[in-house]
Amino acid sequence: MGRTVIPYSRQMQYVESSLGQFRRGLRKPDQEIFDELIRVAKLQVQAGVMASSPYPIDTMLLTMMIDLKKEIFRLRKELENLRE
């Protein structure tokens, strides 16, 4: 029999818990940002499932970067609109 694949959502929980000490070492405002980045990664769980990567942190980081890039695009557009 083959090995059982751990559900991606559980792998994400493991990554989050393994970063617990790191999170506690952050300043309070940075902890809030960290929590927001983890929340963003959890919103894109389907992309992580589709990637089926052996390292869930890879897809979590990519989804975080995608969200940050979307925010940059949105802010640039807003800035352009204000300049006009």
Side-chain angles (χ1 to χ4, degrees):
M1 281 177 98
R3 296 187 326 213
T4 302
V5 177
I6 298 170
Y8 182 74
S9 58
R10 189 170 300 154
Q11 291 179 21
M12 289 178 70
Q13 288 173 344
Y14 174 76
V15 168
E16 183 179 6
S17 67
S18 69
L19 293 172
Q21 294 285 19
F22 171 78
R23 183 191 179 281
R24 281 189 284 285
L26 295 171
R27 294 182 186 135
K28 186 68 173 173
D30 294 338
Q31 287 179 4
E32 293 170 8
I33 292 169
F34 176 87
D35 293 342
E36 176 64 16
L37 290 172
I38 293 293
R39 187 189 70 73
V40 164
K42 288 178 178 179
L43 290 174
Q44 297 291 345
V45 70
Q46 281 304 107
V49 170
M50 296 299 290
S52 64
S53 169
Y55 306 106
I57 189 70
D58 294 346
T59 52
M60 290 174 71
L61 292 171
L62 281 171
T63 57
M64 290 172 192
M65 287 189 291
I66 289 168
D67 192 71
L68 290 171
K69 192 66 174 176
K70 283 182 356 188
E71 181 72 7
I72 290 169
F73 283 151
R74 187 190 66 76
L75 291 170
R76 279 186 184 157
K77 186 169 180 106
E78 189 175 319
L79 183 60
E80 287 173 11
N81 289 340
L82 289 172
R83 285 182 178 164
E84 293 173 357

